[in-house]
Amino acid sequence: EAVVSTQSTGNVLSRDMKSSIMFFARVFAAVNGVIFAVSTFFAPALAQASFQRLMFAFGLASVIRLSQRLGPVQLTKQYCINVVLEDSAHYMLFACNFYSHKPTTVIAFIPALYCALQASAFLGVLLQECQNGMLSSLKVQLAKVKGNQQQLLRVVATAEIFIMPLVIIQLFTGQCGSILTPLVYYQFLMLRYMSRRNPYVRNAFSELKVSINQLLYNPACPAFIRNIVTKGMSLLERLSPVAYEPAAATPQ
């Protein structure tokens, strides 16, 4: 019976090779995210290698997903526009931007969690098609992960926003490596804000604005701080791009 289950699993994996390779790349990325988190305090060399492997696998999965979404490369204006609008292209840019960056926990957190969520979703579909009753407990755990997916994606979106000031601080403290890193990340953040499929970054910006306004208009907040922060928020709103109409979020 175990042999039949293995063959069935192999048949499902071989039916869609791109999705299968993407699944293993995401598992590899998530595992390296865990290795990075564990080794960052006592094995810097291992942490650096794990961080780069995480970014490489995340970028590979993003490239494969982009090819699934758009098909073969075309040298046309419309194809280039479609690439810019795709979430997978955004994360490919993220991986390239931070591949040689100083390993940072919050930066590694985003691709590691994304890959874990997407790999668990694929694994859930795989187990459903294989109909293996021996793995019912695993299916229950995967269902719990799926049930909490929106909350986890909100956490990731908030982390994406806070990486921007972090990268700027790292630039001025000599930990960034290149002035291009914050510039490229700013473009990434704007692309995430304009995402057609996932509105989480837009929602996170809105929720953050509401929270900041509540603090600013607290009677205990000094007036000069309120004025400075208000002007800064107005500047950011003028710099923000025009967003697409929010759509139902879908996993990559």
Side-chain angles (χ1 to χ4, degrees):
E1 184 173 348
V3 174
V4 173
S5 174
T6 302
Q7 290 177 346
S8 177
T9 303
N11 290 336
V12 173
L13 289 173
S14 61
R15 191 173 59 205
D16 187 350
M17 290 301 298
K18 280 190 175 182
S19 294
S20 299
I21 295 172
M22 187 165 55
F23 167 69
F24 288 115
R26 287 169 171 169
V27 171
F28 183 74
V31 170
N32 275 281
V34 174
I35 295 173
F36 167 77
V38 172
S39 63
T40 187
F41 298 106
F42 63 87
L46 178 59
Q48 175 73 43
S50 300
F51 184 84
Q52 291 186 332
R53 287 196 292 262
L54 165 61
M55 292 300 165
F56 176 81
F58 185 51
L60 175 61
S62 299
V63 170
I64 296 172
R65 181 56 178 158
L66 185 63
S67 70
Q68 284 184 325
R69 291 277 300 168
L70 299 183
V73 175
Q74 301 175 21
L75 300 179
T76 63
K77 179 181 178 181
Q78 187 58 47
Y79 182 85
C80 293
I81 293 174
N82 291 338
V83 167
V84 171
L85 296 177
E86 283 295 325
D87 292 348
S88 48
H90 306 165
Y91 287 114
M92 184 173 62
L93 180 64
F94 181 98
C96 293
N97 193 34
F98 288 119
Y99 179 79
S100 300
H101 190 78
K102 176 182 171 63
T104 308
T105 302
V106 68
I107 294 175
F109 169 77
I110 291 173
L113 183 55
Y114 258 128
C115 287
L117 288 173
Q118 293 156 358
S120 66
F122 182 87
L123 185 58
V125 174
L126 179 66
L127 295 179
Q128 190 69 29
E129 293 191 18
C130 292
Q131 297 181 349
N132 190 334
M134 298 174 62
L135 299 175
S136 57
S137 60
L138 179 57
K139 292 180 182 179
V140 172
Q141 297 303 318
L142 292 175
K144 289 181 179 179
V145 173
K146 184 178 181 180
N148 293 312
Q149 178 173 293
Q150 290 191 356
Q151 289 82 354
L152 293 172
L153 289 176
R154 289 177 62 188
V155 172
V156 170
T158 304
E160 289 176 358
I161 294 172
F162 281 102
I163 284 178
M164 187 73 248
L166 172 65
V167 170
I168 294 175
I169 293 172
Q170 289 181 330
L171 177 65
F172 286 105
T173 57
Q175 301 177 1
C176 190
S178 171
I179 193 174
L180 293 178
T181 301
L183 295 177
V184 172
Y185 191 77
Y186 172 77
Q187 294 300 321
F188 164 81
L189 200 57
M190 293 302 97
L191 291 171
R192 298 304 302 139
Y193 186 88
M194 295 188 299
S195 176
R196 297 179 300 178
R197 301 175 64 217
N198 294 319
Y200 293 104
V201 170
R202 284 194 301 276
N203 294 343
F205 268 114
S206 299
E207 293 168 2
L208 188 59
K209 180 181 177 180
V210 171
S211 299
I212 292 175
N213 281 332
Q214 289 176 346
L215 293 174
L216 290 178
Y217 291 98
N218 187 302
C221 179
F224 76 94
I225 292 180
R226 184 184 304 119
N227 292 334
I228 293 174
V229 176
T230 301
K231 290 179 180 178
M233 290 174 62
S234 298
L235 176 62
L236 289 176
E237 288 179 352
R238 288 196 297 270
L239 293 174
S240 63
V242 177
Y244 290 95
E245 290 296 323
T250 55
Q252 292 187 46

